[in-house]
Amino acid sequence: MLSARIRIAARLVAVAALAALTAGCFQPMYAERTDGTPGLREKLMGVDIPPVDKPNASREARVGVEVRNALAFKLYGTATGMPPTHRLVLRFSTNRQSLIVDPNTGLPSSENYGIDAQYNLIEIATNKSVMTGTTFSRVSYDMPGSYQRFARTRAYRDAEDRAANEIAENITTRLASFFTAGT
């Protein structure tokens, strides 16, 4: 009985010693740096997002603006004034698939909207690509009644906006990882 208590106490001491050794290793991702190096927020604010190259007045141009605006808000928030250190070049394609078709009208009542995006982070000082990646988003939406064309158009537009926001979230997360870990 006494030896069991000693083993348990020894294990607790070992766990406490390991915890004490690793206690200084953790630093929150978005925390301010105490060593004078720029924090993650400042690094993300140094990313320039040029307009997406899509034909003017097309649906894809509107989606490109939506992705760019969502990215800018996630990276900068409401802050301005940081000189760019990196440029993020985006390319994407969209698709739309009918999931359920009404047999009486032949019109879809549920569809999927998707965006497949490729991004390239370029360091401005050297003009070299430092990170590339791909991401995608698929959202579904229902379209009410075959004769409610405005509701159908609005459902489609809301799906575009949700997919664009998801693409921006995926890219922002990847950029945060790159600037934090360097990979």
Side-chain angles (χ1 to χ4, degrees), residues 24-166:
C25 297
F26 175 75
Q27 182 172 355
M29 187 190 277
Y30 289 94
E32 295 290 326
R33 305 285 178 175
T34 57
D35 60 359
T37 60
L40 178 60
R41 186 168 187 269
E42 287 81 18
K43 291 178 183 176
L44 290 175
M45 288 175 59
V47 177
D48 179 40
I49 310 166
V52 179
D53 187 24
K54 293 292 180 182
N56 287 340
S58 66
R59 284 198 85 95
E60 283 194 332
R62 193 195 75 75
V63 172
V65 168
E66 191 67 32
V67 169
R68 184 173 183 258
N69 288 346
L71 265 170
F73 184 74
K74 290 176 186 310
L75 293 177
Y76 317 139
T78 57
T80 58
M82 292 291 291
T85 58
H86 293 80
R87 183 175 56 250
L88 183 68
V89 178
L90 294 170
R91 290 183 187 84
F92 69 89
S93 61
T94 62
N95 58 53
R96 188 174 166 186
Q97 299 170 341
S98 297
L99 298 176
I100 301 172
V101 177
D102 184 349
N104 297 327
T105 63
L107 295 173
S109 60
S110 181
E111 287 188 339
N112 261 359
Y113 178 78
I115 300 175
D116 296 309
Q118 302 86 31
Y119 53 93
N120 185 11
L121 185 66
I122 299 168
E123 189 175 37
I124 292 177
T126 62
N127 205 27
K128 289 187 180 181
S129 174
V130 292
M131 182 189 71
T132 61
T134 61
T135 186
F136 69 93
S137 174
R138 301 287 182 272
V139 295
S140 62
Y141 60 101
D142 295 330
M143 296 177 291
S146 61
Y147 299 108
Q148 296 182 22
R149 67 178 181 197
F150 295 114
R152 296 171 79 82
T153 302
R154 187 66 216 188
Y156 181 36
R157 183 173 177 162
D158 287 346
E160 289 174 332
D161 293 345
R162 285 185 292 132
N165 197 32
E166 191 172 318

